[in-house]
Amino acid sequence: MIEQYVWDLQEGDEAQVAVVGGKGAHLGGLSRIQGVRVPGGFCVTTDAFRRIMAEAPSIDDRLDQLSRLNPDDREAIRKLSAEIRRTIEGIAIPGDLAAAITGALARLGEQAAYAVRSSATAEDLPTASFAGQQDTYLNVVGPAAILRHVSRCWASLFTERAVTYRQRNGIDHRTVHMAVVVQQMVFPHAAGILFTADPVTGNRKVATVDAGFGLGEALVSGLVNPDVFTVRDGEIVAKAIAAKQRAVHALPAGGTQEVAIDSQRQEQPALADAQVVRLVQLGRRIEAHFGSPQDIEWCLVDDDFQIVQSRPITTLFPVPETDDQENHVYVSVGHQQMMTDPMKPLGLSMWQLTAMVPMHEAAGRLFVDVTRRLASPASRAALLDVIGRGDPLVRDALETVLDRDDFVPSLPDAGPGGPPAGGAPAPSEPDPAIVPELIERSQVSIAALERDIRTKTGPALFDFLLEAFAEHKQVLSDPLSMQAIMAGMEATWWLNDKLEEWLGEKNAADTLTLSAPDNITSEMGLELLDVADVIRPHPEVVAFLQGVEYVEDAAFLDELAKLAGGTEARDAIEAYLDRYGMRCVGEIDITRPRWRERPTTLVPVILDNVRNFEPGAAERRFEQGRQRAHKKEQDVLSRLRALPDGGRKADEAKRMIDRVRTFIGYREYPKYGIVSRYFLYKQALMKEAERLVQASVLPEKEDIFYLTFQELHDVVRSNQVDEQLIEQRKDAFRSYHALTPPRVLTSDGEAVTGAYRRDDVPAGALVGLAVSAGTIEGRARVILDMADADLEAGDILVTPFTDPSWSPLFVGIAGLVTEVGGLMTHGAVIAREYGLPAVVGVEQATRLIRDGQRIRVHGTDGYVEILP
């Protein structure tokens, strides 16, 4: 049985995580790399851990209790995990298992000093590092002490921090087992950490070395500030030598202690420059072996580096894959579409198949490669101009990359200037009949799709969908549609620029666009007020809705109809869903549940509307906005006429005001058309998923979300599926939630955030982009999920991002602050439409502003103040 419980460290590798855990597997892999020295030792395998757990059947019940706890219930987790640890540490190690461990010690040297280190099976993985979640013990001497500390490592699988980490990452406690690495201690002159990619920027070509005297524990525990070296292309490009006043040294009898460093040595570098460069070369070899950037713990002994750990750096945002070695610059699609959450594979591939430009995937997000557009002066200027108007942070990030040494190659202009980055130029005098014609075209196209797709099943459905995608792209690229969009946007920009120049008034167009016609998204919010008007007079219906979280979506509308006034309420909700049921949060991902599929999603907003508004509010609000816009127009034109050359200026402004009111509402319609088509695609694909479940090809319908469109096509053709692939995709998707997508990403892996570079805001204010004029004070409601909305009149919504599905909330708030957004993204457009002061692109707004705090939103000047 000895072989079952103890493996030599070199026997393990990355394929043996289930036996030796993540740390043991990586150390085994490291020991096989030529030129890499790893201290010798052995691994007590997960079989030993399972043997110990079987000795205490009571642990099973406690694990059941643990899995039911909320990750935020820290007190309950602390108590239960402590009970489990005490139980494990109290189990006597069976004789044959103890003999296996002490036998391995005897072969290495019983009285030598060892590090006893936890090595869980869900540790040092590409998607979850678990760094610091379990325990390590240094300088342990003697068989009895080794056995005692092995038990402690087993128990440390249930530290409070490890349990919480697993629960937050959706990892079942029963699926994780603990191996223990017992490794010969090294007593280094210096030790520290090497990151083979910059852990802050993500740049894969930059390595950083943290170094201090003595054992690396002093750095890991934060006892001292390390020396920090930055290395690129084999050269140290920056270094900061710290005053290292303390170090951790091993004691002869076991254990460690802090010691003071002689004052003359404190500011000496822990490593010579040549040693740093050599260490990074070693790190590159390790990185190449494991195939990803690594976080490496190292020790320097007699001018020789020994590696004691290497794990993937799990916080880095992945780089889109390419088939070349060229430099690339990518811009986030999610920041433009107001949805930076990860998308599932089917959602990604459907968006790629229907998008107007090629899109590249990384960590469940999509990016557009803008390298060639940045490379030639004319297309670069057009791109920066359009992007800068919408999102100054993206523009600044791109300019930061352009300032780098030749990262973007310079190419000659392709020829006579083509259309600007936004599409075809607007005609000088757009025809007002364009918008109704475009809406009619869209409705006819969608009705035809709905009629034709019903008859298609199996492989024929996929052939039909590929044709539908071609038409989808044709609709999107309609020159007339592009002209209408640009007409509204350019008129907005013209009014803001000219009225600030002529009248000294910022963002005047915000008021001039209030209650513009044909804005499908603002109509969606107002029409939910009309639904509330139907429901408000019926107390039974209101009471039912207040308890609706306990009602299944499938039964919701049927149950509603059984109440007094319920038939009218159901009919009003059904009519709303007929027009808007294809919408939902994150609607660019076809896999997200639509309102028609989950109508209870709308209930919190309906209840807010019932509580906060009087009957007829929708019509009144729209008319008030129209009157404000008309009054503003009269005021602007009157003031212009009083200026030198005022007649001409007023005539030009009037023409642009008419243009903006005619066309700005249409800006929202193409997205509505896209999402309408998406829902029809989804309904057809879900019928195929039902057939696959009935044929026992798939266990669940939603499993198709983890296949690309082409993979799903293959499954439908063959009636065979790779279930392991689906499980891997599910694990990967869960891990993507922990990653924050950058606005701009380079092929070096560098996440470039951009900055506003403004000095015109008060100290302590949160800077953002002014997108809807006005100033408002109120209570901040920090809401991460629309389903959690509980708003009172006068509240200011603070959220990471909003897409059109959030618009029904906008009718009940006084202002808006988001972390993501630009001048023409949906939240900004609707905020202007409703006259809400709004600031978007406020970095970390949901962390820096606490729910319930009073804040002041400066929508004209683009900043937010937190009030005392």
Side-chain angles (χ1 to χ4, degrees):
M1 297 290 286
I2 290 177
E3 295 78 14
Q4 182 178 348
Y5 295 135
V6 172
W7 281 25
D8 186 87
L9 208 53
Q10 292 185 322
E11 291 181 73
D13 62 20
E14 300 87 313
Q16 306 291 343
V17 170
V19 180
V20 296
K23 190 178 284 108
H26 276 79
L27 286 168
L30 282 167
S31 66
R32 298 171 186 211
I33 304 171
Q34 188 174 2
V36 174
R37 289 193 59 194
V38 177
F42 60 90
C43 193
V44 182
T45 68
T46 53
D47 283 343
F49 173 77
R50 279 189 282 268
R51 170 89 179 269
I52 290 297
M53 293 290 277
E55 299 280 326
S58 65
I59 288 179
D60 268 351
D61 293 336
R62 291 192 176 116
L63 288 179
D64 287 339
Q65 294 174 46
L66 203 56
S67 64
R68 290 193 291 268
L69 292 178
N70 187 308
D72 295 322
D73 191 349
R74 297 183 61 180
E75 186 54 41
I77 289 175
R78 184 180 299 124
K79 181 182 175 189
L80 199 51
S81 58
E83 288 177 15
I84 296 172
R85 288 198 306 278
R86 280 195 299 272
T87 300
I88 293 172
E89 287 187 44
I91 297 170
I93 299 178
D96 58 335
L97 175 49
I101 296 170
T102 55
L105 276 175
R107 290 191 291 276
L108 288 169
E110 277 192 354
Q111 293 308 310
Y114 293 89
V116 183
R117 315 172 70 193
S118 303
S119 180
T121 53
E123 178 178 299
D124 294 355
L125 303 179
T127 56
S129 78
F130 276 77
Q133 302 304 313
Q134 285 89 212
D135 289 347
T136 285
Y137 301 96
L138 300 178
N139 203 33
V140 182
V141 179
I146 296 284
L147 291 172
R148 190 165 61 251
H149 285 88
V150 167
S151 284
R152 288 183 180 175
C153 282
W154 287 329
S156 76
L157 189 63
F158 297 99
T159 61
E160 180 191 346
R161 60 187 182 273
V163 166
T164 303
Y165 189 97
R166 284 197 294 274
Q167 294 199 203
R168 289 194 190 285
N169 282 274
I171 297 171
D172 184 346
H173 301 297
R174 293 176 188 279
T175 64
V176 184
H177 302 105
M178 179 68 82
V180 180
V181 171
V182 180
Q183 201 172 11
Q184 290 173 320
M185 275 292 292
V186 291
F187 302 100
H189 160 75
I193 301 165
L194 159 63
F195 294 100
T196 64
D198 188 317
V200 177
T201 69
N203 194 320
R204 304 321 198 252
K205 293 193 175 174
V206 172
T208 63
V209 176
D210 291 4
F213 294 123
L215 292 168
E217 187 67 16
L219 270 59
V220 174
S221 65
L223 180 65
V224 297
N225 291 325
D227 298 339
V228 180
F229 302 87
T230 305
V231 179
R232 182 174 185 132
D233 297 329
E235 291 184 11
I236 295 174
V237 294
K239 62 180 170 181
I241 307 304
K244 301 169 287 296
Q245 297 174 341
R246 316 279 296 169
V248 173
H249 285 174
L251 294 169
T256 61
Q257 73 171 22
E258 294 177 21
V259 297
I261 295 177
D262 183 273
S263 59
Q264 293 181 333
R265 283 188 64 216
Q266 288 178 6
E267 296 195 23
Q268 289 180 3
L271 292 179
D273 287 1
Q275 291 173 323
V276 171
V277 172
R278 182 154 50 93
L279 175 60
V280 170
Q281 289 171 344
L282 203 58
R284 293 290 178 217
R285 202 175 303 162
I286 293 168
E287 178 183 67
H289 174 84
F290 289 119
S292 67
Q294 297 288 299
D295 165 359
I296 299 166
E297 293 181 24
W298 55 269
C299 296
L300 180 67
V301 184
D302 299 329
D303 195 36
D304 191 15
F305 288 106
Q306 298 211 29
I307 306 301
V308 295
Q309 187 158 322
S310 185
R311 62 166 72 94
I313 308 175
T314 58
T315 55
L316 299 177
F317 199 87
V319 181
E321 292 183 10
T322 60
D323 55 5
D324 61 44
Q325 299 300 310
E326 303 295 318
N327 290 342
H328 294 271
V329 182
Y330 302 98
V331 171
S332 164
V333 173
H335 285 80
Q336 311 302 312
Q337 291 293 334
M338 300 293 279
M339 212 289 276
T340 56
D341 288 346
M343 296 167 67
K344 296 187 180 82
L346 185 62
L348 288 165
S349 64
M350 294 285 277
W351 193 263
Q352 287 171 306
L353 286 165
T354 52
M356 298 307 300
V357 294
M359 292 188 176
H360 307 266
E361 184 270 337
R365 279 79 166 195
L366 291 170
F367 295 84
V368 173
D369 187 344
V370 296
T371 318
R372 291 196 66 81
R373 303 227 344 237
L374 290 173
S376 72
S379 60
R380 178 192 311 147
L383 178 70
L384 292 176
D385 180 54
V386 170
I387 281 180
R389 285 182 179 276
D391 189 338
L393 290 177
V394 175
R395 175 173 183 146
D396 186 75
L398 291 175
E399 288 176 334
T400 300
V401 175
L402 287 167
D403 287 342
R404 304 272 163 78
D405 300 336
D406 300 323
F407 186 85
V408 177
S410 284
L411 299 175
D413 288 334
S428 55
E429 289 299 333
D431 181 354
I434 288 176
V435 170
E437 179 186 337
L438 287 167
I439 291 173
E440 172 68 16
R441 275 193 210 175
S442 177
Q443 290 171 343
V444 168
S445 174
I446 290 166
L449 173 65
E450 187 172 13
R451 181 189 67 238
D452 295 343
I453 203 170
R454 287 180 190 152
T455 62
K456 305 296 188 292
T457 59
L461 169 65
F462 288 82
D463 295 337
F464 172 82
L465 283 172
L466 289 172
E467 293 175 12
F469 297 164
E471 184 184 346
H472 181 124
K473 288 171 38 167
Q474 199 173 348
V475 169
L476 280 182
S477 60
D478 183 343
L480 202 59
S481 179
M482 300 299 274
Q483 287 172 6
I485 292 170
M486 291 307 296
M489 290 170 63
E490 288 176 356
T492 302
W493 297 336
W494 188 96
L495 284 166
N496 280 335
D497 291 345
K498 291 297 185 183
L499 295 181
E500 183 169 7
E501 177 189 337
W502 293 339
L503 299 176
E505 186 171 339
K506 286 185 181 178
N507 301 330
D510 293 357
T511 307
L512 294 166
T513 56
L514 288 170
S515 297
D518 298 314
N519 188 318
I520 190 76
T521 310
S522 67
E523 289 169 7
M524 180 171 70
L526 294 173
E527 285 178 34
L528 205 58
L529 286 174
D530 293 335
V531 172
D533 286 353
V534 175
I535 288 168
R536 193 180 291 105
H538 304 293
E540 273 190 60
V541 172
V542 173
F544 171 78
L545 294 179
Q546 287 167 340
V548 87
E549 61 189 285
Y550 305 107
V551 180
E552 289 290 325
D553 273 289
F556 164 59
L557 293 169
D558 292 337
E559 291 296 313
L560 190 59
K562 298 174 184 176
L563 307 171
T567 303
E568 296 95 314
R570 181 198 61 191
D571 291 348
I573 293 172
E574 284 279 14
Y576 187 84
L577 291 172
D578 285 344
R579 192 167 189 209
Y580 302 111
M582 77 295 289
R583 310 220 83 149
C584 67
V585 173
E587 61 192 9
I588 68 170
D589 182 353
I590 196 174
T591 72
R592 293 286 191 103
R594 310 283 136 176
W595 289 346
R596 171 54 81 182
E597 296 168 316
R598 198 171 288 176
T600 53
T601 305
L602 293 169
V603 168
V605 192
I606 293 173
L607 288 171
D608 283 347
N609 290 348
V610 167
R611 185 175 65 247
N612 295 332
F613 292 93
E614 296 295 323
E619 188 176 347
R620 278 196 307 277
R621 283 181 66 109
F622 186 82
E623 182 57 26
Q624 286 165 0
R626 198 182 66 78
Q627 292 289 349
R628 278 183 63 197
H630 179 70
K631 186 177 176 184
K632 183 69 174 179
E633 176 183 337
Q634 298 306 309
D635 173 61
V636 163
L637 296 178
S638 169
R639 288 157 62 198
L640 286 174
R641 288 191 189 101
L643 298 175
D645 197 20
R648 178 189 62 82
K649 291 174 179 174
D651 288 347
E652 288 184 13
K654 171 62 176 165
R655 195 160 60 251
M656 286 299 177
I657 291 169
D658 290 346
R659 183 181 295 187
V660 85
R661 291 198 64 79
T662 299
F663 291 103
I664 200 65
Y666 178 73
R667 166 74 178 78
E668 293 292 296
Y669 204 89
K671 182 74 170 289
Y672 175 77
I674 291 170
V675 177
S676 298
R677 298 177 77 91
Y678 262 35
F679 190 37
L680 296 173
Y681 303 155
K682 181 180 185 180
Q683 288 174 308
L685 291 174
M686 292 310 289
K687 286 179 184 172
E688 289 302 306
E690 286 173 18
R691 187 186 65 74
L692 291 169
V693 170
Q694 288 166 3
S696 300
V697 178
L698 289 175
E700 296 178 358
K701 287 188 301 182
E702 287 74 18
D703 284 348
I704 69 166
F705 298 161
Y706 298 93
L707 299 170
T708 66
F709 179 81
Q710 184 57 55
E711 288 167 347
L712 179 56
H713 190 180
D714 294 340
V715 170
V716 167
R717 254 200 316 255
S718 67
N719 268 353
Q720 292 182 319
V721 70
D722 183 344
E723 291 184 17
Q724 191 175 0
L725 174 67
I726 289 175
E727 290 307 311
Q728 288 170 352
R729 295 263 179 86
K730 287 179 180 179
D731 288 343
F733 178 72
R734 277 192 291 267
S735 74
Y736 294 156
H737 284 277
L739 299 173
T740 301
R743 282 178 167 82
V744 171
L745 179 68
T746 74
S747 49
D748 284 354
E750 184 176 6
V752 191
T753 54
Y756 287 108
R757 306 190 191 283
R758 290 173 53 190
D759 54 10
D760 60 341
V761 297
L766 308 180
V767 184
L769 178 63
V771 295
S772 186
T775 302
I776 192 74
E777 286 185 20
R779 178 180 69 158
R781 291 311 316 270
V782 179
I783 295 175
L784 306 181
D785 184 337
M786 182 177 155
D788 297 331
D790 181 15
L791 297 163
E792 300 288 347
D795 283 348
I796 297 170
L797 175 62
V798 180
T799 190
F801 52 81
T802 65
D803 61 11
S805 71
W806 286 71
S807 300
L809 290 183
F810 284 23
V811 298
I813 59 176
L816 174 69
V817 179
T818 68
E819 295 177 338
V820 174
L823 192 63
M824 297 309 294
T825 48
H826 302 277
V829 171
I830 304 307
R832 290 194 292 274
E833 176 77 14
Y834 288 164
L836 301 175
V839 180
V840 303
V842 180
E843 294 280 89
Q844 299 189 27
T846 58
R847 297 179 195 173
L848 298 172
I849 299 171
R850 294 197 309 277
D851 187 53
Q853 276 187 316
R854 287 195 68 77
I855 61 173
R856 183 182 297 127
V857 177
H858 294 263
T860 307
D861 295 311
Y863 63 91
V864 180
E865 290 180 285
I866 299 174
L867 303 176

